[in-house]
Amino acid sequence: MRIKSIILAALMVMAFSMTASATSMTVKGSTTVLPIMQKAVEAYMKANPGISISVSGGGSGNGIKAIIDGSTDIAMASRFMKDKEVKLAMEKGVYPVPFAVGIDALVPVVHPSNTVAGLTRAQLKDIYQGKITNWKDLGGIDKKIVVISRDTSSGTYETWEGKIMKKERVFAGALLQASNGAVVQAVSKNKYAIGYIGYGYLDKSTKALTVDGIEGNPETASSGKYPVSRFLYVFTKGWPKGETAKFIMYLLHPKYGQAHAKAAGYVPLY
């Protein structure tokens, strides 16, 4: 695969670019990428006792902002940078470098008791625009739909807005949540709620819906068949060096970082 060749070439270049190792790193951003990062950081620090890596969520937008203002070494993002973010970075003399670290399926979820099994992209758009307001209009019970969305600083929101909303905004009546975990908690506690989360956050507390009759899973996400799939990224401030470069290499390695991506419920790159 072409992407595999590109990644392996990047690994070779980074191997020659590494300089003296740092002893600490900071990682901020996407709560979607967070489960991958937590597993990778735990294993990496165990294998390298002299290294300390702090990890925090806060959303893709906040992670990208942090890489631009220099308050993080690595930014996690479940979307690519926007043009205005790239422009701001260049104005500040920052040249963020992206690395894909996994593939994700963004899955609509409901309470396990909900009888609806799947929705179309058109139905999801109407729900999130406030045009469809009752589950009975979707083959469910006669109850008002409680719409739960991610906040606008989230890369998950950006993906949903682009692939489902077609660049139209989620209506003002939606309840905004700051993380995937918060969406899971909100939907699991409300029989009439609907939300959307990264594939790695699926568990028995919520029920996944199909989209256009297609189940979101590793196979459909990696093939591109599932309509709400996406790449997951990390960004560095310029070409990574030293310990940051070593850690990026670790994230891209098929036996290490990519194995952590799979263990976290996402799709490895290769």
Side-chain angles (χ1 to χ4, degrees):
M1 290 177 64
R2 184 169 180 269
I3 190 170
K4 182 177 180 180
S5 300
I6 293 171
I7 291 169
L8 292 177
L11 291 176
M12 292 177 66
V13 172
M14 279 191 290
F16 288 102
S17 71
M18 290 186 295
T19 59
S21 296
T23 57
S24 63
M25 280 185 285
T26 301
V27 184
K28 297 179 181 179
S30 167
T31 64
T32 300
V33 183
L34 189 60
I36 300 174
M37 190 61 67
Q38 288 172 327
K39 288 181 179 296
V41 164
E42 181 181 0
Y44 190 81
M45 289 196 299
K46 185 176 181 180
N48 300 273
I51 304 302
S52 174
I53 306 175
S54 64
V55 184
S56 61
S60 297
N62 289 328
I64 291 170
K65 180 181 178 182
I67 204 73
I68 294 172
D69 66 26
S71 62
T72 190
D73 298 296
I74 298 173
M76 302 177 287
S78 58
R79 60 165 174 83
F80 207 76
M81 290 182 70
K82 301 175 185 177
D83 290 345
K84 64 180 181 180
E85 292 168 333
V86 174
K87 181 181 178 182
L88 177 60
M90 295 186 70
E91 287 174 351
K92 293 191 174 185
V94 177
Y95 301 92
V97 178
F99 297 90
V101 294
I103 302 170
D104 182 29
L106 191 53
V107 183
V109 291
V110 295
H111 191 272
S113 65
N114 196 315
T115 58
V116 174
L119 297 169
T120 65
R121 278 175 283 182
Q123 287 172 324
L124 286 166
K125 182 179 180 181
D126 284 347
I127 291 170
Y128 276 84
Q129 283 189 307
K131 294 180 179 179
I132 296 179
T133 60
N134 197 300
W135 283 111
K136 70 178 181 180
D137 297 323
L138 301 165
I141 61 174
D142 184 9
K143 290 291 183 180
K144 183 180 179 180
I145 301 172
V146 177
V147 181
I148 296 173
S149 176
R150 290 295 306 279
D151 61 276
T152 56
S153 68
S154 159
T156 298
Y157 173 89
E158 298 282 349
T159 301
W160 190 260
E161 186 182 47
K163 292 182 177 287
I164 296 297
M165 305 304 294
K166 302 301 180 184
K167 301 300 182 180
E168 295 188 32
R169 307 287 284 184
V170 170
F171 84 117
L175 304 177
L176 304 185
Q177 302 295 328
S179 67
N180 281 276
V183 173
V184 171
Q185 186 176 36
V187 173
S188 68
K189 292 181 177 180
N190 193 316
K191 294 182 179 180
Y192 314 118
I194 185 170
Y196 52 89
I197 56 175
Y199 185 80
Y201 281 84
L202 287 176
D203 60 28
K204 293 182 180 179
S205 69
T206 61
K207 172 184 169 182
L209 302 182
T210 60
V211 178
D212 292 342
I214 302 169
E215 180 183 346
N217 58 41
E219 291 71 32
T220 59
S222 59
S223 69
K225 183 180 180 181
Y226 183 67
V228 204
S229 56
R230 58 180 176 172
F231 282 100
L232 303 176
Y233 299 93
V234 295
F235 290 84
T236 58
K237 186 178 180 179
W239 194 257
K241 297 179 181 180
E243 200 63 46
T244 302
K246 289 174 65 177
F247 184 63
I248 294 295
M249 290 173 66
Y250 181 87
L251 288 173
L252 299 179
H253 198 290
K255 291 184 179 180
Y256 302 115
Q258 291 303 292
H260 296 314
K262 184 176 182 180
Y266 296 107
V267 185
L269 298 171
Y270 41 81

